[in-house]
Amino acid sequence: MKKCAVILSSLAFLLTACASAPADSVSATPVPTETPAPTVEPTPSPTPAPTMAVYDEVPFDDWRDGAGCTMPDYTFSAPHKPQPQEQVTWPTDGVTLRYNAQTLEETAKIFHTTVENLKELNPDWQDKYSCASGCYWGLKVQADPYTLAMNNVVTVTVNAPWVEGYYDRTEVCDVPAALDKQARAALASAYYFQYHWWGMHAGFLPYEKLDEPVGFFNYRAADGAFYTKFSEFSDFLHTVYSDAWVDDMLSMDPALFAEGENDTILTLDGDRGGNIAYCGHLFTEPELQPDGSLTFWQLSLTCESDDFKGWAGEETIVPDTATVTTVRLVPTENGWRVDALELPN
């Protein structure tokens, strides 16, 4: 699992990291896209083998009701084409495709190329390596422009009415329409959690100060936080994420959360900024893999042109770069679980 870089205000540390009207009758079966797959290689994953694993779909209500904890409320729009944010126009002439990777060998394998070719595409490849994060940033991975596909999405609204902070109570995000309803909800829940408490902000609010620090922790989650009991928080995490993802998150050094005395949640507090050049994100079509997992690309679009002056004016912004991160969901007997996801910004 890749981890995002987070700058904590109260404790400086790094996390490694190398958005139609509602339709309550949305079917749990996948909705096919009307847009063809990208015409420019590479594809996000190998062509599935004919003998791939079979997955028995878990109904959304069964997944939510079986969580063992209080879960958010969910509403789903009808499938629609992804809509650009204000001032943004989707590019039609292709974009530069980039990737952040721990090694050149990993990048070459994913994009079906060679290390030598990557070095030719990135003559400054040595300067792209960050010792602090342990990865190469923004490696160009193909010479030809990458054609973006406008695959259908569903807008999911996740709402936890018991959360005190208005900003933290709700998240509205797009997920691929080809996912079934339960998978859509799990992925939207992951975006919700990561945007509010494990990404742009780190740690639960509100909190109360501990009488004595416990390791790195000076606070415990208080009434009005997303969860105040570690057992319920753990149930939420294991309902949304794979066991491996949860284990990795809770074993980080330092971790953002830990179990305290009497089932409390120890928490840190911090924030990070975003990329001012971020213009939105798109998805490739989910593909079922031989091991039964679903994988697809999240394409984070940015404007890297020297002419980009920010968002204060009225001019239309056309992104020219797409940075790839992989989203992966794995099947369990209780539904899909998110196994790989990074915030697009």
Side-chain angles (χ1 to χ4, degrees), residues 10-13 210 213-219 252-255 267-268:
S10 64
L11 178 63
F13 69 94
L210 298 173
V214 179
F216 288 103
F217 297 100
N218 290 297
Y219 312 102
M252 293 172 58
D253 187 19
T267 183
L268 296 180

Side-chain angles (χ1 to χ4, degrees), residues 221-238:
D223 289 345
F226 188 41
Y227 291 105
T228 58
K229 294 183 178 180
F230 190 86
S231 57
E232 291 188 345
F233 179 40
S234 178
D235 285 341
F236 168 82
L237 291 176
H238 286 283

Side-chain angles (χ1 to χ4, degrees), residues 143-207:
D144 296 330
Y146 179 80
T147 302
L148 296 168
M150 298 292 127
N151 296 316
N152 280 354
V153 295
V154 165
T155 301
V156 184
T157 301
V158 184
N159 178 263
W162 68 89
V163 172
E164 178 179 289
Y166 176 82
Y167 169 77
D168 289 328
R169 194 175 303 150
T170 304
E171 181 65 32
V172 180
C173 60
D174 286 349
V175 299
L179 299 175
D180 68 39
K181 191 174 181 180
Q182 183 271 312
R184 295 172 186 172
L187 183 55
S189 299
Y191 277 118
Y192 178 38
F193 173 69
Q194 289 179 224
Y195 265 119
H196 293 276
W197 300 294
W198 202 72
M200 305 300 285
H201 179 78
F204 284 160
L205 290 171
Y207 54 69

Side-chain angles (χ1 to χ4, degrees), residues 50-61:
T51 56
M52 67 178 64
V54 177
Y55 173 72
D56 292 330
E57 183 177 311
V58 173
F60 163 75
D61 289 338

Side-chain angles (χ1 to χ4, degrees), residues 179 182-184 186-187 240 286 288 291-296 327-331 336-340:
L179 299 175
Q182 183 271 312
R184 295 172 186 172
L187 183 55
V240 172
L288 190 62
D291 64 358
S293 66
L294 277 171
T295 64
F296 51 97
V327 182
R328 182 171 59 253
L329 287 79
V330 296
W336 294 103
R337 299 293 189 268
V338 177
D339 189 58

